[in-house]
Amino acid sequence: LSAVEKIKKPKKRSATIFGYPLSIFFIVVNEFCERFSYYGMRAVLVLYFKYFLKWDEDFATTIYHTFVALCYLTPILGAIVADSWLGKFKTIVYLSIVYTVGQVVMAISAIQDITDTNKDGTPDNMTLHVALSMLGLFLIALGTGGIKPCVAAFGGDQFEDHQEKQRSTFFSIFYLSINAGSLISTLITPILRAQTCGIHIQQECYPLAFGVPAALMVVALIVFIVGSPMYIRNPPQGNIIVKVCKCIGFAVKNRFRHRSSQYPKRDHWMDWAEEKYDKLLIAQVKMALKVLFLYIPLPMFWALFDQQGSRWTFQATTMNGNFATSLSSHQTVNPILILILVPVMDTLIYPLISKCFNFTPLRRITVGMFLAALAFVAAALLQIQIDKTLPDFPSSTESQVKFINMVNRDLQIQADNKTISLKGFGANEDYLTFHNQFTLVLESGQQNTINLANGTRNTITLVLNSSVYNWIFSVFELSFCRVLNGFGSDLNVTVRDKVFNFTSNMSEYLSVSHGKAEFMIKDNRESCVYTQELGFGSSYTLIIPSTFTFGEMCSENIKAVMDMKPNSVHMAWQIIQYFLMTTGEVVFSVTGLEFSYSQAPSNMKSVLQAGWLLTVAVGNIIVLIVAEAATLNDQWAEYILFASLLVLVCIIFAIMAYFYTYTDPTKIEAQFDEMEPEEKEKRKNFDMPRKGSAESHKEDRRSSDSSSDDECTKQTKI
């Protein structure tokens, strides 16, 4: 059959159950699994960047928002490919395969054992893991974005014209499956990450956290393909986005060609497309552009909204609480509140406000933006309280020192003009700040000039050696626990299957999960168990003194020095900012989509949907620009900066909304339907009539341009 015959051929009837096409159940299950896969992977992504790839928070934030922006740029590509070449079914299948491969590659990149040749739990070829991660994220962005505009539309294609009610119910179920997948995945994935796994060293299980979403994406692909015999597949008939772009491009080009004052002006710059496109399409484009113009300030909202997965997640790591369960519960606040607030807003809040004044959609969007700004103000106030409890790390021109006394009696030492008293097998409570060097004077009168690297935290250990106190100097990055062995012989120290690696008598730091930790200390013959309660974010040095002996009371000889106090601000305080942000999302996003749908022409709804997704992408790009350009030392100041920018944009949007005139696209389109067919097909020539030109000039133009008349009078049917 030719393409035309395929279009004219009636839809095949699909098997039904309870009045619904059986095929839609495969589509709904596919969407649930795909959303579980995407949001589950994204829930722990920045933590993977920070703790596995060892990136700093700023760079991790940059890559995270670059990935999200790419996820919302590719839907336009997917829509064009589906409508112009492959059709929706093939586009979904092909890009789902790409998507699945990306998730699998992402899970493989998180396996530290594939490059851990020395079996110490740390990847030896981090470049390979980074390369695999970036490849996986690119494939995921291409896949999830490409199928985004296709799946819902493909589900709508399964219904016949008399099934309008069932089609409407399908879209409600489809939206529910999206939120269900998001809700369950953001609850489960952080818990999976908190599990330990590994061949050589047990660590946080990122392969499991990424592997389960990858498995769900495999299920999504299989389920979708299994339903293949039941699907109604409409052939591609051209993409309206492409047509709109061509129409706008022709209008701009034609206006520039006839920019001289000798050509008569037209009411609207889009009217310069009348030589090639019919007036109905031009009128529809005008209505779409009118709404798209209002979209210009909207990306700033998404710039704040999507930082829930980056900056707010990092904020949670500096707070007190079970991070695995608290992170998952915090991230589930959003979908749960959406399901609750949407009906509450529609049935209670909006009607009550409307009794006081006209609460138009554009006013609701303005309020939603303001609520998002308030959420960031709340985040800033919370960050100020968190900063009060965090250690005072050295600046780029300073260094900090902690002294540990390994002698079984009190000592008094002097560092420059500071006198420090140290108890036996003890340490000074807080780190002392110096510049690049200081002079250390011991009780014996021995002096040592110590040079320090700027911006570091250091430990100086005082050890008895022939009645002289020597200093041992080490630079380290704070984590959770380390062991100082002053026993005089080699010891094997483990905690929760993790082995401490010693450099001289000081081990490296190991991250240990919170709670009661049991440290197993062994030599060749005996063992000792020492128990230490570890708070969230705390850091300890365990001192095994020279007086240590094995036996029933062995643990009493071990001393714990606190290097960093545990976090004291509870994660529950974040619920305030999450509530404000989610309320803002409901008022902003849901209203924005409804407004766009009501103001969009019948065939331009996909254009506005593409424009809406584009605002999300641009919002994430704004995060990259602001985060890189604004070199702020305090995180709370960055939160205030974003809140201030959104308030400014909110004011601009309110002014734009004030001058906006609501239209009824149905009435405008009906006016064109009433026009005579002959009048609708009239076309002007490309060359415009000049002011005061004679009729003979028109005849000359017609004869000279006769070869292009056919092309100029082609119709673009809607």
PDB file of all heavy atoms in Angstrom, residues 620-650:
ATOM      1  N   ASN A 620      17.839  24.222  34.271  1.00  0.00           N
ATOM      2  CA  ASN A 620      19.021  23.509  34.748  1.00  0.00           C
ATOM      3  C   ASN A 620      20.302  24.122  34.210  1.00  0.00           C
ATOM      4  O   ASN A 620      21.344  24.094  34.876  1.00  0.00           O
ATOM      5  CB  ASN A 620      18.931  22.028  34.356  1.00  0.00           C
ATOM      6  CG  ASN A 620      18.005  21.237  35.249  1.00  0.00           C
ATOM      7  OD1 ASN A 620      18.415  20.692  36.263  1.00  0.00           O
ATOM      8  ND2 ASN A 620      16.730  21.183  34.885  1.00  0.00           N
ATOM      9  N   ILE A 621      20.229  24.690  33.015  1.00  0.00           N
ATOM     10  CA  ILE A 621      21.398  25.396  32.476  1.00  0.00           C
ATOM     11  C   ILE A 621      21.676  26.653  33.299  1.00  0.00           C
ATOM     12  O   ILE A 621      22.836  27.021  33.528  1.00  0.00           O
ATOM     13  CB  ILE A 621      21.175  25.735  30.992  1.00  0.00           C
ATOM     14  CG1 ILE A 621      21.096  24.445  30.162  1.00  0.00           C
ATOM     15  CG2 ILE A 621      22.286  26.636  30.463  1.00  0.00           C
ATOM     16  CD1 ILE A 621      20.714  24.656  28.721  1.00  0.00           C
ATOM     17  N   ILE A 622      20.608  27.311  33.770  1.00  0.00           N
ATOM     18  CA  ILE A 622      20.776  28.499  34.621  1.00  0.00           C
ATOM     19  C   ILE A 622      21.527  28.136  35.900  1.00  0.00           C
ATOM     20  O   ILE A 622      22.381  28.895  36.378  1.00  0.00           O
ATOM     21  CB  ILE A 622      19.405  29.124  34.946  1.00  0.00           C
ATOM     22  CG1 ILE A 622      18.797  29.758  33.691  1.00  0.00           C
ATOM     23  CG2 ILE A 622      19.528  30.168  36.055  1.00  0.00           C
ATOM     24  CD1 ILE A 622      17.399  30.283  33.883  1.00  0.00           C
ATOM     25  N   VAL A 623      21.223  26.960  36.468  1.00  0.00           N
ATOM     26  CA  VAL A 623      21.937  26.516  37.665  1.00  0.00           C
ATOM     27  C   VAL A 623      23.433  26.431  37.388  1.00  0.00           C
ATOM     28  O   VAL A 623      24.261  26.850  38.206  1.00  0.00           O
ATOM     29  CB  VAL A 623      21.401  25.156  38.153  1.00  0.00           C
ATOM     30  CG1 VAL A 623      22.197  24.681  39.369  1.00  0.00           C
ATOM     31  CG2 VAL A 623      19.935  25.249  38.514  1.00  0.00           C
ATOM     32  N   LEU A 624      23.783  25.883  36.230  1.00  0.00           N
ATOM     33  CA  LEU A 624      25.200  25.760  35.872  1.00  0.00           C
ATOM     34  C   LEU A 624      25.847  27.134  35.792  1.00  0.00           C
ATOM     35  O   LEU A 624      26.952  27.342  36.301  1.00  0.00           O
ATOM     36  CB  LEU A 624      25.343  25.042  34.531  1.00  0.00           C
ATOM     37  CG  LEU A 624      24.665  23.676  34.377  1.00  0.00           C
ATOM     38  CD1 LEU A 624      24.944  23.103  33.004  1.00  0.00           C
ATOM     39  CD2 LEU A 624      25.150  22.729  35.455  1.00  0.00           C
ATOM     40  N   ILE A 625      25.161  28.071  35.159  1.00  0.00           N
ATOM     41  CA  ILE A 625      25.736  29.409  34.962  1.00  0.00           C
ATOM     42  C   ILE A 625      25.897  30.136  36.292  1.00  0.00           C
ATOM     43  O   ILE A 625      26.961  30.678  36.608  1.00  0.00           O
ATOM     44  CB  ILE A 625      24.859  30.234  34.001  1.00  0.00           C
ATOM     45  CG1 ILE A 625      24.832  29.565  32.609  1.00  0.00           C
ATOM     46  CG2 ILE A 625      25.359  31.663  33.902  1.00  0.00           C
ATOM     47  CD1 ILE A 625      23.857  30.205  31.649  1.00  0.00           C
ATOM     48  N   VAL A 626      24.832  30.133  37.106  1.00  0.00           N
ATOM     49  CA  VAL A 626      24.875  30.862  38.373  1.00  0.00           C
ATOM     50  C   VAL A 626      25.877  30.224  39.331  1.00  0.00           C
ATOM     51  O   VAL A 626      26.653  30.916  40.003  1.00  0.00           O
ATOM     52  CB  VAL A 626      23.468  30.912  39.010  1.00  0.00           C
ATOM     53  CG1 VAL A 626      23.529  31.542  40.397  1.00  0.00           C
ATOM     54  CG2 VAL A 626      22.511  31.685  38.115  1.00  0.00           C
ATOM     55  N   ALA A 627      25.872  28.885  39.394  1.00  0.00           N
ATOM     56  CA  ALA A 627      26.780  28.198  40.318  1.00  0.00           C
ATOM     57  C   ALA A 627      28.242  28.446  39.958  1.00  0.00           C
ATOM     58  O   ALA A 627      29.107  28.549  40.841  1.00  0.00           O
ATOM     59  CB  ALA A 627      26.488  26.702  40.322  1.00  0.00           C
ATOM     60  N   GLU A 628      28.545  28.555  38.665  1.00  0.00           N
ATOM     61  CA  GLU A 628      29.918  28.794  38.242  1.00  0.00           C
ATOM     62  C   GLU A 628      30.293  30.267  38.346  1.00  0.00           C
ATOM     63  O   GLU A 628      31.426  30.604  38.696  1.00  0.00           O
ATOM     64  CB  GLU A 628      30.099  28.317  36.791  1.00  0.00           C
ATOM     65  CG  GLU A 628      30.000  26.808  36.616  1.00  0.00           C
ATOM     66  CD  GLU A 628      31.106  26.057  37.335  1.00  0.00           C
ATOM     67  OE1 GLU A 628      32.218  26.601  37.430  1.00  0.00           O
ATOM     68  OE2 GLU A 628      30.851  24.932  37.809  1.00  0.00           O
ATOM     69  N   ALA A 629      29.345  31.152  38.024  1.00  0.00           N
ATOM     70  CA  ALA A 629      29.657  32.586  38.006  1.00  0.00           C
ATOM     71  C   ALA A 629      29.693  33.182  39.405  1.00  0.00           C
ATOM     72  O   ALA A 629      30.518  34.048  39.696  1.00  0.00           O
ATOM     73  CB  ALA A 629      28.638  33.332  37.148  1.00  0.00           C
ATOM     74  N   ALA A 630      28.794  32.728  40.274  1.00  0.00           N
ATOM     75  CA  ALA A 630      28.719  33.277  41.635  1.00  0.00           C
ATOM     76  C   ALA A 630      29.661  32.500  42.550  1.00  0.00           C
ATOM     77  O   ALA A 630      29.347  31.400  42.989  1.00  0.00           O
ATOM     78  CB  ALA A 630      27.281  33.195  42.149  1.00  0.00           C
ATOM     79  N   THR A 631      30.802  33.056  42.821  1.00  0.00           N
ATOM     80  CA  THR A 631      31.795  32.398  43.683  1.00  0.00           C
ATOM     81  C   THR A 631      31.515  32.775  45.137  1.00  0.00           C
ATOM     82  O   THR A 631      32.189  33.613  45.734  1.00  0.00           O
ATOM     83  CB  THR A 631      33.211  32.827  43.280  1.00  0.00           C
ATOM     84  OG1 THR A 631      33.280  34.256  43.304  1.00  0.00           O
ATOM     85  CG2 THR A 631      33.559  32.312  41.893  1.00  0.00           C
ATOM     86  N   LEU A 632      30.494  32.140  45.700  1.00  0.00           N
ATOM     87  CA  LEU A 632      30.093  32.412  47.076  1.00  0.00           C
ATOM     88  C   LEU A 632      30.645  31.323  47.988  1.00  0.00           C
ATOM     89  O   LEU A 632      30.496  30.126  47.701  1.00  0.00           O
ATOM     90  CB  LEU A 632      28.567  32.471  47.182  1.00  0.00           C
ATOM     91  CG  LEU A 632      27.880  33.549  46.317  1.00  0.00           C
ATOM     92  CD1 LEU A 632      26.369  33.399  46.405  1.00  0.00           C
ATOM     93  CD2 LEU A 632      28.297  34.941  46.772  1.00  0.00           C
ATOM     94  N   ASN A 633      31.253  31.729  49.081  1.00  0.00           N
ATOM     95  CA  ASN A 633      31.840  30.761  50.007  1.00  0.00           C
ATOM     96  C   ASN A 633      30.782  30.082  50.866  1.00  0.00           C
ATOM     97  O   ASN A 633      30.966  28.949  51.297  1.00  0.00           O
ATOM     98  CB  ASN A 633      32.873  31.453  50.902  1.00  0.00           C
ATOM     99  CG  ASN A 633      34.070  31.957  50.122  1.00  0.00           C
ATOM    100  OD1 ASN A 633      34.490  31.329  49.147  1.00  0.00           O
ATOM    101  ND2 ASN A 633      34.623  33.087  50.535  1.00  0.00           N
ATOM    102  N   ASP A 634      29.694  30.775  51.138  1.00  0.00           N
ATOM    103  CA  ASP A 634      28.647  30.241  52.009  1.00  0.00           C
ATOM    104  C   ASP A 634      27.487  29.711  51.177  1.00  0.00           C
ATOM    105  O   ASP A 634      26.975  30.405  50.288  1.00  0.00           O
ATOM    106  CB  ASP A 634      28.146  31.317  52.964  1.00  0.00           C
ATOM    107  CG  ASP A 634      29.249  31.795  53.912  1.00  0.00           C
ATOM    108  OD1 ASP A 634      29.993  30.926  54.417  1.00  0.00           O
ATOM    109  OD2 ASP A 634      29.364  33.016  54.122  1.00  0.00           O
ATOM    110  N   GLN A 635      27.048  28.476  51.498  1.00  0.00           N
ATOM    111  CA  GLN A 635      25.949  27.875  50.756  1.00  0.00           C
ATOM    112  C   GLN A 635      24.646  28.621  50.990  1.00  0.00           C
ATOM    113  O   GLN A 635      23.820  28.749  50.083  1.00  0.00           O
ATOM    114  CB  GLN A 635      25.786  26.406  51.155  1.00  0.00           C
ATOM    115  CG  GLN A 635      24.737  25.644  50.356  1.00  0.00           C
ATOM    116  CD  GLN A 635      24.996  25.682  48.880  1.00  0.00           C
ATOM    117  OE1 GLN A 635      26.079  25.333  48.422  1.00  0.00           O
ATOM    118  NE2 GLN A 635      24.009  26.103  48.096  1.00  0.00           N
ATOM    119  N   TRP A 636      24.440  29.135  52.194  1.00  0.00           N
ATOM    120  CA  TRP A 636      23.194  29.863  52.461  1.00  0.00           C
ATOM    121  C   TRP A 636      23.092  31.105  51.576  1.00  0.00           C
ATOM    122  O   TRP A 636      21.983  31.495  51.170  1.00  0.00           O
ATOM    123  CB  TRP A 636      23.088  30.253  53.935  1.00  0.00           C
ATOM    124  CG  TRP A 636      24.112  31.253  54.409  1.00  0.00           C
ATOM    125  CD1 TRP A 636      25.303  30.995  55.002  1.00  0.00           C
ATOM    126  CD2 TRP A 636      24.026  32.682  54.298  1.00  0.00           C
ATOM    127  NE1 TRP A 636      25.973  32.165  55.277  1.00  0.00           N
ATOM    128  CE2 TRP A 636      25.208  33.216  54.865  1.00  0.00           C
ATOM    129  CE3 TRP A 636      23.071  33.565  53.793  1.00  0.00           C
ATOM    130  CZ2 TRP A 636      25.465  34.578  54.924  1.00  0.00           C
ATOM    131  CZ3 TRP A 636      23.314  34.934  53.854  1.00  0.00           C
ATOM    132  CH2 TRP A 636      24.494  35.427  54.417  1.00  0.00           C
ATOM    133  N   ALA A 637      24.233  31.720  51.270  1.00  0.00           N
ATOM    134  CA  ALA A 637      24.220  32.905  50.409  1.00  0.00           C
ATOM    135  C   ALA A 637      23.801  32.539  48.992  1.00  0.00           C
ATOM    136  O   ALA A 637      23.101  33.311  48.324  1.00  0.00           O
ATOM    137  CB  ALA A 637      25.602  33.558  50.407  1.00  0.00           C
ATOM    138  N   GLU A 638      24.207  31.365  48.536  1.00  0.00           N
ATOM    139  CA  GLU A 638      23.788  30.916  47.202  1.00  0.00           C
ATOM    140  C   GLU A 638      22.283  30.663  47.166  1.00  0.00           C
ATOM    141  O   GLU A 638      21.615  30.985  46.179  1.00  0.00           O
ATOM    142  CB  GLU A 638      24.544  29.650  46.807  1.00  0.00           C
ATOM    143  CG  GLU A 638      24.241  29.177  45.386  1.00  0.00           C
ATOM    144  CD  GLU A 638      25.045  27.957  44.985  1.00  0.00           C
ATOM    145  OE1 GLU A 638      26.277  28.093  44.853  1.00  0.00           O
ATOM    146  OE2 GLU A 638      24.447  26.874  44.812  1.00  0.00           O
ATOM    147  N   TYR A 639      21.740  30.083  48.246  1.00  0.00           N
ATOM    148  CA  TYR A 639      20.287  29.888  48.321  1.00  0.00           C
ATOM    149  C   TYR A 639      19.559  31.233  48.239  1.00  0.00           C
ATOM    150  O   TYR A 639      18.547  31.360  47.528  1.00  0.00           O
ATOM    151  CB  TYR A 639      19.913  29.181  49.634  1.00  0.00           C
ATOM    152  CG  TYR A 639      20.310  27.727  49.705  1.00  0.00           C
ATOM    153  CD1 TYR A 639      20.686  27.143  50.913  1.00  0.00           C
ATOM    154  CD2 TYR A 639      20.311  26.922  48.575  1.00  0.00           C
ATOM    155  CE1 TYR A 639      21.041  25.806  50.993  1.00  0.00           C
ATOM    156  CE2 TYR A 639      20.667  25.587  48.642  1.00  0.00           C
ATOM    157  CZ  TYR A 639      21.035  25.035  49.862  1.00  0.00           C
ATOM    158  OH  TYR A 639      21.389  23.716  49.926  1.00  0.00           O
ATOM    159  N   ILE A 640      20.043  32.225  48.974  1.00  0.00           N
ATOM    160  CA  ILE A 640      19.418  33.555  48.947  1.00  0.00           C
ATOM    161  C   ILE A 640      19.537  34.175  47.562  1.00  0.00           C
ATOM    162  O   ILE A 640      18.600  34.850  47.080  1.00  0.00           O
ATOM    163  CB  ILE A 640      20.056  34.472  50.008  1.00  0.00           C
ATOM    164  CG1 ILE A 640      19.732  33.960  51.415  1.00  0.00           C
ATOM    165  CG2 ILE A 640      19.575  35.905  49.850  1.00  0.00           C
ATOM    166  CD1 ILE A 640      18.257  33.983  51.768  1.00  0.00           C
ATOM    167  N   LEU A 641      20.665  33.950  46.887  1.00  0.00           N
ATOM    168  CA  LEU A 641      20.852  34.482  45.539  1.00  0.00           C
ATOM    169  C   LEU A 641      19.801  33.918  44.590  1.00  0.00           C
ATOM    170  O   LEU A 641      19.155  34.672  43.837  1.00  0.00           O
ATOM    171  CB  LEU A 641      22.258  34.154  45.041  1.00  0.00           C
ATOM    172  CG  LEU A 641      22.555  34.509  43.574  1.00  0.00           C
ATOM    173  CD1 LEU A 641      22.427  36.010  43.344  1.00  0.00           C
ATOM    174  CD2 LEU A 641      23.935  34.012  43.166  1.00  0.00           C
ATOM    175  N   PHE A 642      19.605  32.606  44.625  1.00  0.00           N
ATOM    176  CA  PHE A 642      18.599  31.989  43.757  1.00  0.00           C
ATOM    177  C   PHE A 642      17.193  32.467  44.115  1.00  0.00           C
ATOM    178  O   PHE A 642      16.371  32.719  43.221  1.00  0.00           O
ATOM    179  CB  PHE A 642      18.670  30.460  43.856  1.00  0.00           C
ATOM    180  CG  PHE A 642      19.691  29.840  42.949  1.00  0.00           C
ATOM    181  CD1 PHE A 642      20.902  29.397  43.438  1.00  0.00           C
ATOM    182  CD2 PHE A 642      19.448  29.704  41.591  1.00  0.00           C
ATOM    183  CE1 PHE A 642      21.849  28.821  42.606  1.00  0.00           C
ATOM    184  CE2 PHE A 642      20.377  29.136  40.744  1.00  0.00           C
ATOM    185  CZ  PHE A 642      21.588  28.692  41.252  1.00  0.00           C
ATOM    186  N   ALA A 643      16.904  32.592  45.404  1.00  0.00           N
ATOM    187  CA  ALA A 643      15.582  33.077  45.820  1.00  0.00           C
ATOM    188  C   ALA A 643      15.353  34.504  45.326  1.00  0.00           C
ATOM    189  O   ALA A 643      14.262  34.841  44.849  1.00  0.00           O
ATOM    190  CB  ALA A 643      15.453  33.010  47.337  1.00  0.00           C
ATOM    191  N   SER A 644      16.386  35.333  45.409  1.00  0.00           N
ATOM    192  CA  SER A 644      16.259  36.727  44.966  1.00  0.00           C
ATOM    193  C   SER A 644      16.038  36.801  43.459  1.00  0.00           C
ATOM    194  O   SER A 644      15.215  37.600  42.973  1.00  0.00           O
ATOM    195  CB  SER A 644      17.520  37.510  45.347  1.00  0.00           C
ATOM    196  OG  SER A 644      17.732  37.472  46.743  1.00  0.00           O
ATOM    197  N   LEU A 645      16.770  35.981  42.710  1.00  0.00           N
ATOM    198  CA  LEU A 645      16.591  35.967  41.257  1.00  0.00           C
ATOM    199  C   LEU A 645      15.175  35.540  40.882  1.00  0.00           C
ATOM    200  O   LEU A 645      14.567  36.101  39.967  1.00  0.00           O
ATOM    201  CB  LEU A 645      17.615  35.026  40.615  1.00  0.00           C
ATOM    202  CG  LEU A 645      19.077  35.486  40.635  1.00  0.00           C
ATOM    203  CD1 LEU A 645      19.986  34.394  40.097  1.00  0.00           C
ATOM    204  CD2 LEU A 645      19.251  36.762  39.822  1.00  0.00           C
ATOM    205  N   LEU A 646      14.639  34.547  41.601  1.00  0.00           N
ATOM    206  CA  LEU A 646      13.287  34.084  41.289  1.00  0.00           C
ATOM    207  C   LEU A 646      12.255  35.151  41.642  1.00  0.00           C
ATOM    208  O   LEU A 646      11.262  35.323  40.913  1.00  0.00           O
ATOM    209  CB  LEU A 646      12.984  32.783  42.030  1.00  0.00           C
ATOM    210  CG  LEU A 646      11.630  32.147  41.704  1.00  0.00           C
ATOM    211  CD1 LEU A 646      11.475  31.907  40.202  1.00  0.00           C
ATOM    212  CD2 LEU A 646      11.436  30.837  42.459  1.00  0.00           C
ATOM    213  N   VAL A 647      12.450  35.867  42.744  1.00  0.00           N
ATOM    214  CA  VAL A 647      11.517  36.954  43.097  1.00  0.00           C
ATOM    215  C   VAL A 647      11.541  38.029  42.016  1.00  0.00           C
ATOM    216  O   VAL A 647      10.488  38.555  41.607  1.00  0.00           O
ATOM    217  CB  VAL A 647      11.877  37.551  44.468  1.00  0.00           C
ATOM    218  CG1 VAL A 647      11.084  38.831  44.722  1.00  0.00           C
ATOM    219  CG2 VAL A 647      11.604  36.538  45.574  1.00  0.00           C
ATOM    220  N   LEU A 648      12.739  38.367  41.524  1.00  0.00           N
ATOM    221  CA  LEU A 648      12.854  39.355  40.446  1.00  0.00           C
ATOM    222  C   LEU A 648      12.124  38.882  39.191  1.00  0.00           C
ATOM    223  O   LEU A 648      11.355  39.631  38.571  1.00  0.00           O
ATOM    224  CB  LEU A 648      14.329  39.616  40.140  1.00  0.00           C
ATOM    225  CG  LEU A 648      14.628  40.562  38.963  1.00  0.00           C
ATOM    226  CD1 LEU A 648      14.059  41.950  39.240  1.00  0.00           C
ATOM    227  CD2 LEU A 648      16.127  40.629  38.705  1.00  0.00           C
ATOM    228  N   VAL A 649      12.346  37.625  38.821  1.00  0.00           N
ATOM    229  CA  VAL A 649      11.673  37.051  37.652  1.00  0.00           C
ATOM    230  C   VAL A 649      10.167  36.983  37.881  1.00  0.00           C
ATOM    231  O   VAL A 649       9.369  37.188  36.957  1.00  0.00           O
ATOM    232  CB  VAL A 649      12.246  35.655  37.347  1.00  0.00           C
ATOM    233  CG1 VAL A 649      11.386  34.920  36.332  1.00  0.00           C
ATOM    234  CG2 VAL A 649      13.677  35.766  36.835  1.00  0.00           C
ATOM    235  N   CYS A 650       9.770  36.708  39.119  1.00  0.00           N
ATOM    236  CA  CYS A 650       8.347  36.641  39.475  1.00  0.00           C
ATOM    237  C   CYS A 650       7.670  37.988  39.226  1.00  0.00           C
ATOM    238  O   CYS A 650       6.546  38.049  38.709  1.00  0.00           O
ATOM    239  CB  CYS A 650       8.220  36.223  40.934  1.00  0.00           C
ATOM    240  SG  CYS A 650       6.528  35.959  41.487  1.00  0.00           S
TER     241      CYS A 650
END
